[in-house]
Amino acid sequence: MATSLSKKTAIRVAVTGAAGNIGYALLFRIASGQMFGSDQPVALNLIEIEPGMDALKGVAMELDDCAFPLLTEIVQTSDLAVGFKDVDWALLVGSVPRKKGMERADLLGINGKVFVGQGKAINDHAKKSVRVVVVGNPCNTNCLIAMKSAPDIPDNQFFAMTRLDENRAKSQLALKAGVPVKDVSELCVWGNHSPSMFPDFFNAKIGRQKATDVITDDKWLKETFVPDVGTRGAAIIAARGASSAASAANAVVDTVRDLITPSFGGYHSVCVISNGEYGTPAGIITSMPIKVDAVGNWRVVEGIKLSEYAKEKIAASNQELLDEREMAFGQLGLSI
Ligand code: LMR
């Protein structure tokens, strides 16, 4: 394995489902420096369930074969106590993916309990400063389950991923407007990572203009754009026969990188613990616009003006999260 050229201490990153499709698209990007920077060594704790350990060995061999200068160590394990030991980041990718015809919430009964065990193991073995990003679906509620199962880790260190939805939404607006995707900014996806999510096109910008001044087709925005973003995951499953992997991994890289990078100007969508911002019910993990300050603390962006249409959409998505919480917590015996 390559030795690091940098004198910085390695960031230790646990990845669950490390031999899965998203894991395979993610690990090489972390090890190459795309997540934490080109002079930041990383150690990878690769976690798999027992039947995946042979495949994991192959993934670790390939990581070795890349001779990444920044990769200082690879741990391969199915033991959560080993996998989360002293980690700085826990990327909870592994879970049973949905199949055609399912909604993400249908996975609650299957995946929910996994996040109890992972939350407990993170609580007991990770650094207290660990930051946790949940990707496995339904990611908002799984994140809440992990957070509740890790009482010693501050709630504001738990995140679930809607960056994939933000990226999807930006691409759709760019295509419609005929501009490069980099010109689309300030597009927050609010609520649940489910078809009820709301990509807020009212506040989005295309170049320096309001997106709604560039794309004036209100019917397209409300009746095509919003539902298409919300059901893009299902469309990928229908087309590929498997759920998104490379784009999901890319969004994990974007999420983490932007959580450790001061945000100059724009903001990004991340699901975080609600303290009642924008009328969101406190205590759920819901997607909001996040900014990061110069010392790496995140906060929900204040002062965004939401239209009545947006408020209704966001409230409906958050109600879905309350319902998911009630169902999952009832099944798992967790208390709110
Ligand atoms: C996605 O949005 O592509 C993922 O959450 C997978 C899924 O089930 O939609």
Side-chain angles (χ1 to χ4, degrees):
M1 198 180 308
T3 332
S4 164
L5 302 174
S6 166
K7 291 202 167 48
K8 289 182 175 177
T9 308
I11 292 179
R12 187 166 290 278
V13 187
V15 180
T16 67
N21 287 328
I22 299 177
Y24 194 66
L26 176 62
L27 297 174
F28 298 84
R29 297 191 59 186
I30 301 174
S32 69
Q34 290 180 52
M35 183 175 272
F36 295 105
S38 57
D39 66 343
Q40 174 58 61
V42 285
L44 287 174
N45 286 17
L46 308 183
I47 304 176
E48 254 306 340
I49 51 174
E50 205 48 54
M53 289 307 286
D54 279 346
L56 185 62
K57 188 174 167 203
V59 174
M61 287 163 69
E62 284 205 71
L63 281 164
D64 278 341
D65 293 351
C66 291
F68 287 119
L70 294 170
L71 183 57
T72 60
E73 190 188 358
I74 303 172
V75 174
Q76 300 171 57
T77 186
S78 59
D79 180 343
L80 296 182
V82 175
F84 290 122
K85 178 100 184 99
D86 293 335
V87 297
D88 299 286
W89 286 85
L91 309 180
L92 307 187
V93 173
S95 65
V96 174
R98 66 173 163 153
K99 309 273 179 326
K100 206 169 170 175
M102 292 171 87
E103 283 306 341
R104 298 180 186 102
D106 296 336
L107 297 167
L108 256 187
I110 308 170
N111 289 332
K113 52 185 172 300
V114 170
F115 289 85
V116 174
Q118 292 182 355
K120 284 184 177 159
I122 288 169
N123 192 65
D124 294 346
H125 302 286
K127 288 186 181 160
K128 292 297 171 239
S129 56
V130 66
R131 279 178 279 178
V132 180
V133 178
V134 179
V135 177
N137 282 315
C139 64
N140 299 58
T141 300
N142 288 340
C143 183
L144 188 65
I145 292 168
M147 188 192 91
K148 287 285 175 191
S149 307
D152 301 336
I153 310 291
D155 292 355
N156 67 359
Q157 291 169 208
F158 285 81
F159 309 91
M161 195 170 84
T162 38
R163 182 57 175 271
L164 178 52
D165 310 301
E166 178 185 318
N167 289 347
R168 288 167 170 166
K170 284 179 168 166
S171 284
Q172 294 305 315
L173 289 188
L175 284 171
K176 180 75 174 170
V179 300
V181 71
K182 67 173 178 49
D183 289 1
V184 184
S185 62
E186 305 197 19
L187 200 157
C188 179
V189 171
W190 294 76
N192 193 6
H193 177 58
S194 83
S196 73
M197 70 181 78
F198 178 62
D200 181 13
F201 56 84
F202 292 104
N203 285 294
K205 299 239 171 66
I206 297 180
R208 292 190 174 182
Q209 289 179 276
K210 282 167 70 74
T212 48
D213 288 343
V214 178
I215 301 170
T216 52
D217 185 348
D218 191 57
K219 186 171 157 59
W220 179 85
L221 286 166
K222 288 182 175 157
E223 293 176 22
T224 301
F225 169 72
V226 171
D228 278 5
V229 172
T231 56
R232 182 73 167 185
I236 301 279
I237 292 169
R240 235 172 67 83
S243 61
S244 61
S247 57
N250 177 66
V252 181
V253 174
D254 285 349
T255 301
V256 173
R257 195 199 48 230
D258 286 338
L259 280 171
I260 57 172
T261 311
S263 341
F264 300 107
Y267 49 73
H268 289 292
S269 321
V270 190
C271 308
V272 293
I273 183 72
S274 162
N275 293 304
E277 297 90 343
Y278 295 96
T280 293
I284 57 169
I285 298 277
T286 186
S287 188
M288 292 192 273
I290 301 303
K291 269 193 178 201
V292 174
D293 69 18
V295 289
N297 295 319
W298 68 264
R299 63 178 170 79
V300 175
V301 177
E302 289 165 13
I304 293 177
K305 290 206 167 42
L306 294 169
S307 66
E308 286 309 310
Y309 172 82
K311 283 184 197 163
E312 268 174 40
K313 288 277 189 191
I314 295 166
S317 194
N318 285 329
Q319 181 57 48
E320 190 179 68
L321 284 170
L322 288 172
D323 296 343
E324 275 186 24
R325 179 177 71 175
E326 192 179 326
M327 189 169 74
F329 278 37
Q331 282 172 7
L332 299 167
L334 292 171
S335 52
I336 294 167

